[in-house]
Amino acid sequence: MNTRVETIGNASPLTADAHPMIDPFGRAVTYLRVSVTDRCDFRCTYCMAENMTFLPKKDLLTLEELDRLCSAFIEKGVKKIRLTGGEPLVRKNIMYLVRQLGQRIGSGLDELTLTTNGSQLARHAEELYDCGVRRINVSLDTLDPDKFRKVTRWGDFAKVMEGIDAAQKAGIRIKLNAVALKGFNDVEMPEMVRFAHGRGMDLTVIETMPMGEIEEDRTDQYLPLSELRADLERQFTLTEIDYQTGGPARYVRVEETDGRLGFITPLTHNFCESCNRVRLTCTGTLYMCLGQNDAADLRAALRATEDDALLHTAIDEAITRKPKGHDFIIDRTHNRPAVARHMSVTGG
Ligand code: SAM
Ligand code: SF4
């Protein structure tokens, strides 16, 4: 592996052949999302079919390989890594990777975080903190245990609540993510805002994205956030704020609860121009855009030689293909997903 080090300006140390990643539109790629598994212990209706076929285990990169790939990205200027999935905490021995990457915080990496459904959080919370994780996203679409079971098919609401409690106790800040679902959680949103803000958590609502075949009709689920926002404004005063997390959410402050509420509207293009991220799957495929099918195979370069130079070249080549924006459209005539892979492949 290449260990020569030089420092460019104020930037973190880079190996001599590790140029920072700048895409054809001048955007620096500094954020890597890694789907460590496509498997999950839930089957959320908007995300997966109940009978999913998962990747054969033999196709997965090992945790050591994922660590090496992530390290290459850190050398090439990635400052933030988010582990996701599927459910990242169901991958066997995942804390090994968390600990390895945690050691890079402060030497190249600014932040290590994860997005989780919370089911396994109670038993991992303290160790996550110990490894340097300070903020996580927890997905929670409803506060009603029966509805929770319906939307996740297999999830246990009480366990997720235990997870949230444990993470907060360990000192990890939580942002809640809720997918807005028409006729399902729209009526509950004011309560969710009060719950999140009452516990010191930001809340972000996400529009459903047309990804992967599921059993439900997506056009029935789709709730434009403009509608949701108008509804909330009947009860709350929403003030635009200039809060940026480097992600696609637009934030407002809810004056009555004194907390932040984010809106992610992926079907609009309002965040593509500042997109700083790429997505790596557990098989070593790199997607340069969540809403496009183009991808680069990094596994071949990773396995070809121990020398990272080839890997760096493969990453550079992939970055030249980062598109200007996504192509999400809900194909309402045929009710087909615009992107064939499931969200659990790239992790959102
Ligand atoms: N299992 C973890 C979880 O649920 O947080 C991480 C992976 S999950 C794919 C990441 C995020 O994507 C979750 O917040 C989930 O709600 C969201 N998501 C999944 N399918 C989606 C879809 N079709 N449209 C919008 N968001 C979706
Ligand atoms: Fe699993 Fe997350 Fe998809 Fe739900 S949204 S099925 S928890 S990967």
Side-chain angles (χ1 to χ4, degrees), residues 37 39-41 86-92 94 119-120 123:
T37 174
R39 289 164 195 255
C40 187
D41 51 351
E87 173 48 41
L89 295 179
V90 302
R91 170 106 193 223
K92 200 170 164 206
I94 186 63
S119 67
Q120 313 293 318
R123 66 191 172 99

Side-chain angles (χ1 to χ4, degrees), residues 23-251:
D23 80 0
F25 305 96
R27 298 168 298 191
V29 175
T30 55
Y31 180 7
L32 177 69
R33 296 174 77 113
V34 187
S35 176
V36 296
T37 174
D38 64 331
R39 289 164 195 255
C40 187
D41 51 351
F42 290 4
R43 289 289 182 278
C44 301
T45 53
Y46 50 81
C47 179
M48 292 190 182
E50 187 153 19
N51 293 311
M52 290 284 287
T53 308
F54 294 110
L55 291 164
K57 288 208 169 122
K58 66 172 176 43
D59 287 356
L60 260 57
L61 296 186
T62 64
L63 293 172
E64 289 80 3
E65 286 175 321
L66 278 172
D67 180 28
R68 189 176 148 212
L69 258 178
C70 289
S71 298
F73 275 96
I74 295 169
E75 283 178 26
K76 293 189 68 59
V78 157
K79 301 275 167 218
K80 174 170 169 179
I81 293 182
R82 176 178 298 278
L83 303 182
T84 172
E87 173 48 41
L89 295 179
V90 302
R91 170 106 193 223
K92 200 170 164 206
N93 210 14
I94 186 63
M95 294 312 292
Y96 164 81
L97 182 64
V98 175
R99 194 160 288 280
Q100 290 297 108
L101 295 176
Q103 286 168 9
R104 305 299 301 266
I105 299 171
S107 55
L109 193 63
D110 291 343
E111 185 174 34
L112 174 65
T113 180
L114 73 158
T115 299
T116 173
N117 65 22
S119 67
Q120 313 293 318
L121 200 49
R123 66 191 172 99
H124 289 303
E126 279 185 18
E127 195 177 353
L128 285 169
Y129 184 89
D130 192 47
C131 293
V133 175
R134 294 292 176 269
R135 292 196 305 167
I136 58 172
N137 290 354
V138 177
S139 304
L140 186 70
D141 301 323
T142 173
L143 293 171
D144 175 328
D146 294 331
K147 281 169 74 178
F148 185 81
R149 171 64 70 154
K150 263 194 195 114
V151 72
T152 61
R153 292 197 183 102
W154 297 358
D156 178 350
F157 180 77
K159 266 181 110 178
V160 175
M161 284 299 130
E162 271 172 40
I164 290 175
D165 290 344
Q168 287 197 315
K169 192 161 165 250
I172 299 175
R173 275 193 293 144
I174 296 179
K175 176 165 81 70
L176 291 185
N177 282 343
V179 173
L181 299 165
K182 201 185 191 92
F184 180 77
N185 59 6
D186 34 6
V187 285
E188 256 191 273
M189 275 304 157
E191 193 191 342
M192 290 194 65
V193 167
R194 286 192 198 93
F195 169 75
H197 294 172
R199 302 250 330 224
M201 303 183 278
D202 289 349
L203 172 68
T204 298
V205 281
I206 312 171
E207 246 169 31
T208 51
M209 294 178 232
M211 293 187 71
E213 292 289 349
I214 54 172
E215 281 142 3
E216 319 258 320
D217 183 343
R218 286 195 192 277
T219 49
D220 286 351
Q221 298 179 326
Y222 181 63
L223 171 65
L225 292 192
S226 50
E227 255 178 51
L228 185 80
R229 185 174 169 153
D231 262 3
L232 285 170
E233 278 177 326
R234 282 190 255 282
Q235 299 200 27
F236 296 118
T237 317
L238 307 183
T239 311
E240 298 284 342
I241 51 171
D242 197 19
Y243 177 68
Q244 295 285 345
T245 55
R250 294 264 163 96
Y251 279 91

Side-chain angles (χ1 to χ4, degrees), residues 213 216-220 330-337:
E213 292 289 349
E216 319 258 320
D217 183 343
R218 286 195 192 277
T219 49
D220 286 351
I330 298 187
D331 183 347
R332 292 186 194 279
T333 322
H334 304 98
N335 188 33
R336 271 198 306 245

Side-chain angles (χ1 to χ4, degrees), residues 281-300:
T281 73
C282 54
T283 55
T285 303
L286 188 74
Y287 285 91
M288 286 69 80
C289 173
L290 179 64
Q292 300 271 8
N293 289 319
D294 188 30
D297 172 24
L298 299 183
R299 182 171 56 181

